[in-house]
Amino acid sequence: MRNWQLGLRNELNQLADKNLIRELKSTAHGTNPVCVREGKTLLNFSSNNYLGLAGHPLLIQAMQNTVEAGSPSSRLLVGNEAKTQHLEEELAQWQETESALVFSNGYMANLGVLSSFLDRKDAVFSDQLNHASIVDGIRLSGATSFRYRHGNMNHLENLLKKAAKKGFRRKLIVTDAVFSMDGDIAPLRDLVSLKEKYDTALFVDEAHSVGTIGPQGKGLAHHLGISDQIEIHMGTFSKAFGVYGAYVAGKKDWIHYLINHSRSFIYTTALPPSIISAILQSLKLIQQSDRSRHLLKRKSMKFRDELSKYGFNIANSSTQIVPVVIGDSSKSLAFSQKLIANGILSVAIRPPTVPAGSARLRFSLMADHRDDDIQNVIESITEIGYECGVIL
Ligand SMILES: Cc1ncc(COP(=O)(O)O)c(C=O)c1O
């Protein structure tokens, strides 16, 4: 055991030397968009609670009105509450598809989808910047993985051509709709064309787009009017919905297949009824939140425009997720610390969450951010940017 201990300590020290060590910071959430972190009150620019629903009185009330706190078992034993089935019907209707299945969270949904539909006989084509849960799901599936350069359809097509000669059983393209660390959007229309041309299925993770994009917050695919051309849709309840959990939606047979094959669905306890009640309530609010979506869009656009004007590298962000790419991890940490000193929270994101050499601050806007707060934050970022040599 002593060797274990020394080995672990050694590796942690190496991470710290490279400014890559991670520590948990005690954080409490007050009235949006403020949080208290290690005793300091900060304007929160790191939250995925984009519409501010996490603290909504109707969601809290829905949880409080639920008698049972926990679930008795997995769904396939005695954990299949009528309320969960009702939620799945509502989700399918909202997503304008045949069927939906609730998962414990987005990570498990992605693991479940990829490892159920694919195995060693199959090929999967994945954007280089897809979320870690997609990467892990691919690994678990054992399928041959073709990673295409971020958003690069020529590269993807070359890989599809290459794979076409190899006689794979099934082929699947998988992409985030909105990329979680870059805030840009996937070229879904082009992906649909390629998947048709190469007889491939398409799986879209709408974790950061449901609630924030599209009519009634249905997500990017609906916004583009191509939802029915995508075989598998996934979304989370942990971001704009302000609750917890996730869903996968699609045709009946695909969902039924998941019920029979997805180990991250079968071998885990059903989400508690209190959570399901809150999700049901949130689904109603999400559909009525056009005004919040509009505010979020307007505020995000202003934030992005101002930062680009000052010369910050905000990648190709076109959403409420706005990175300020710095490159160096220690510089990113120092930038974040200086913002904290100014009462602003934007957590530094470092490898391996983002590729080596692309450490950054990831700002996420909320509909609740006040215009003058946003203006002050832009001024602080700019001052610190000059001071740290991030902009010249
Ligand atoms: C694109 C994407 N997919 C999946 C997930 C995982 O979702 P959850 O937090 O519900 O596990 C996240 C969240 O971190 C994400 O950003």
Side-chain angles (χ1 to χ4, degrees):
M1 282 303 139
R2 201 175 135 63
N3 280 350
W4 263 82
Q5 177 85 7
L6 283 175
L8 298 180
R9 178 83 49 80
N10 219 349
E11 283 187 39
L12 287 170
N13 287 341
Q14 284 171 15
L15 280 179
D17 288 346
K18 292 187 221 152
N19 291 301
L20 295 177
I21 197 83
R22 298 168 196 244
E23 303 289 358
L24 289 169
K25 303 262 165 73
S26 160
T27 312
H29 296 273
T31 314
N32 286 324
V34 164
C35 68
V36 180
R37 195 155 161 101
E38 300 190 312
K40 203 166 163 32
T41 302
L42 301 168
L43 202 52
N44 192 355
F45 272 78
S46 273
S47 175
N48 295 326
N49 178 21
Y50 304 121
L51 302 181
L53 293 180
H56 197 288
L58 287 177
L59 265 63
I60 295 167
Q61 199 181 58
M63 289 184 103
Q64 284 170 344
N65 289 348
T66 311
V67 184
E68 299 271 308
S71 267
S73 74
S74 67
R75 293 279 299 279
L76 286 163
L77 294 183
V78 289
N80 189 30
E81 296 264 340
K83 205 187 300 188
T84 312
Q85 282 196 299
H86 174 58
L87 170 62
E88 289 172 341
E89 283 159 17
E90 296 279 309
L91 287 167
Q93 210 174 20
W94 173 61
Q95 282 295 310
E96 298 173 38
T97 185
E98 288 177 6
S99 198
L101 188 65
V102 169
F103 277 77
S104 297
N105 54 51
Y107 186 93
M108 288 168 77
N110 281 343
L111 242 50
V113 165
L114 291 156
S115 64
S116 301
F117 289 124
L118 302 172
D119 71 21
R120 290 211 179 99
K121 297 183 277 306
D122 305 319
V124 58
F125 303 83
S126 174
D127 189 289
Q128 184 188 13
L129 295 189
N130 275 342
H131 189 256
S133 53
I134 293 178
V135 176
D136 293 356
I138 291 173
R139 279 189 195 141
L140 190 60
S141 74
T144 301
S145 170
F146 295 87
R147 273 179 97 206
Y148 59 92
R149 288 193 279 280
H150 181 49
N152 187 327
M153 296 296 98
N154 287 335
H155 189 213
L156 171 59
E157 181 153 23
N158 285 341
L159 294 175
L160 285 163
K161 276 185 192 151
K162 203 162 131 188
K165 296 180 194 137
K166 297 205 170 156
F168 289 107
R169 179 188 62 164
R170 293 176 181 152
K171 287 173 288 174
L172 178 75
I173 301 173
V174 53
T175 186
D176 286 7
V178 169
F179 289 86
S180 55
M181 296 298 139
D182 284 56
D184 55 345
I185 60 170
L188 286 192
R189 283 211 176 94
D190 297 336
L191 287 168
V192 165
S193 306
L194 283 176
K195 77 134 208 155
E196 299 284 339
K197 187 167 169 190
Y198 292 91
D199 193 23
T200 306
L202 179 57
F203 171 30
V204 179
D205 172 339
E206 299 242 23
H208 296 276
S209 39
V210 283
T212 60
I213 298 181
Q216 289 99 47
K218 291 176 190 184
L220 182 64
H222 281 276
H223 171 67
L224 298 172
I226 53 171
S227 169
D228 57 348
Q229 293 168 67
I230 294 166
E231 282 72 21
I232 320 163
H233 300 263
M234 172 274 192
T236 57
F237 304 125
S238 54
K239 308 194 192 304
F241 270 75
V243 194
Y244 185 73
Y247 69 85
V248 176
K251 289 232 184 307
K252 268 203 179 90
D253 285 344
W254 295 64
I255 300 302
H256 197 201
Y257 191 90
L258 284 178
I259 294 172
N260 282 274
H261 287 87
S262 170
R263 295 168 69 86
S264 63
F265 171 80
I266 299 168
Y267 298 109
T268 194
T269 301
L271 277 178
S274 50
I275 297 278
I276 300 294
S277 300
I279 299 170
L280 269 164
Q281 180 59 61
S282 185
L283 179 57
K284 282 191 194 137
L285 294 176
I286 284 274
Q287 293 179 69
Q288 300 158 6
S289 291
D290 280 347
R291 187 178 137 71
S292 296
R293 272 185 285 281
H294 172 75
L295 285 175
L296 183 64
K297 195 173 165 186
R298 178 175 67 67
K299 291 173 189 193
S300 306
M301 195 185 291
K302 176 185 163 61
F303 191 74
R304 291 192 312 266
D305 287 352
E306 291 279 314
L307 292 186
S308 332
K309 200 175 77 193
Y310 283 109
F312 285 103
N313 173 3
I314 65 160
N316 284 320
S317 168
S318 58
T319 64
Q320 74 280 3
I321 298 170
V322 186
V324 165
V325 181
I326 294 174
D328 182 65
S329 293
S330 68
K331 233 177 175 178
S332 304
L333 287 170
F335 204 123
S336 175
Q337 280 307 320
K338 283 178 191 280
L339 281 172
I340 287 175
N342 286 2
I344 301 154
L345 179 63
S346 172
V347 176
I349 310 288
R350 295 160 291 160
T353 305
V354 290
S358 73
R360 66 196 61 192
L361 298 180
R362 173 192 184 267
F363 292 88
S364 45
L365 277 288
M366 292 171 67
D368 291 343
H369 280 134
R370 289 178 19 206
D371 287 333
D372 50 353
D373 282 338
I374 294 176
Q375 192 53 45
N376 290 340
V377 170
I378 292 167
E379 280 165 25
S380 283
I381 298 170
T382 310
E383 257 170 47
I384 299 168
Y386 284 125
E387 205 177 300
C388 297
V390 173
I391 48 172
L392 302 170

